[in-house]
Amino acid sequence: MTQAAHLRTATPRDAAVLTDLALRSKRFWGYDDDFMQAIAPDMVVLPEYLEYEHGIVAEYGEVIAGYAILRVEGALAHLRDLFIEPAFMNRGLGTVLLGEAVRIARSAGAKRLRLVSDPNAVPFYVRRGFSVEGYESSSYLPGRSLPVMSRTL
């Protein structure tokens, strides 16, 4: 990346824009319309998330290029979302957002960071020190298992 992204705290007013970004990012993996319709309820960023959790937005000028949402509960932090606008993928922005989430989690006292990953994103997280600790069933697509990943902070 030639220019560094500006990171800011997400606000509840960002919820709809972040939801749209998440859907575009998920579709990048080639999922069809039926799949996208089935998982759409899980992709919604509720304003409450951005009131009570740590939302981080990465911007280039006025363009939101990616975001992450983190919840810290004592020694365990949970990465709810990390999505990048497809036009900004493979430029290091995911690493920047993940690094900021790790920094926030550590500063809040978390010792471990957990997430439920899209299967396509597993290599990204493995390269950043995460390992698969198990699988959970998708609430939206019967028969689909999602990797649960974690790393020590």
Side-chain angles (χ1 to χ4, degrees), residues 76-114:
L76 182 63
H78 179 79
L79 187 65
R80 176 187 297 278
D81 286 349
L82 193 161
F83 288 105
I84 306 300
E85 185 70 58
F88 292 92
M89 287 182 176
N90 299 311
R91 298 185 189 182
L93 191 54
T95 301
V96 169
L97 283 166
L98 182 59
E100 182 65 6
V102 166
R103 185 194 69 71
I104 291 168
R106 282 181 178 147
S107 70
K111 303 296 181 204
R112 188 151 201 82
L113 179 57
R114 263 181 118 219

Side-chain angles (χ1 to χ4, degrees), residues 17 20-21 24-25 63-67 83-89 93:
V17 172
D20 291 344
L21 187 157
R24 286 189 301 275
S25 183
V63 176
I64 295 178
Y67 78 94
F83 288 105
I84 306 300
E85 185 70 58
F88 292 92
M89 287 182 176
L93 191 54

Side-chain angles (χ1 to χ4, degrees), residues 15-35:
V17 172
L18 300 184
T19 296
D20 291 344
L21 187 157
L23 289 165
R24 286 189 301 275
S25 183
K26 182 68 92 174
R27 188 174 286 282
F28 173 83
W29 297 109
Y31 293 122
D32 64 22
D33 289 342
D34 290 339
F35 176 91

Side-chain angles (χ1 to χ4, degrees), residues 40-51:
D42 190 43
M43 304 299 293
V44 174
V45 176
L46 296 174
E48 299 84 62
Y49 299 163
L50 303 174
E51 287 179 33

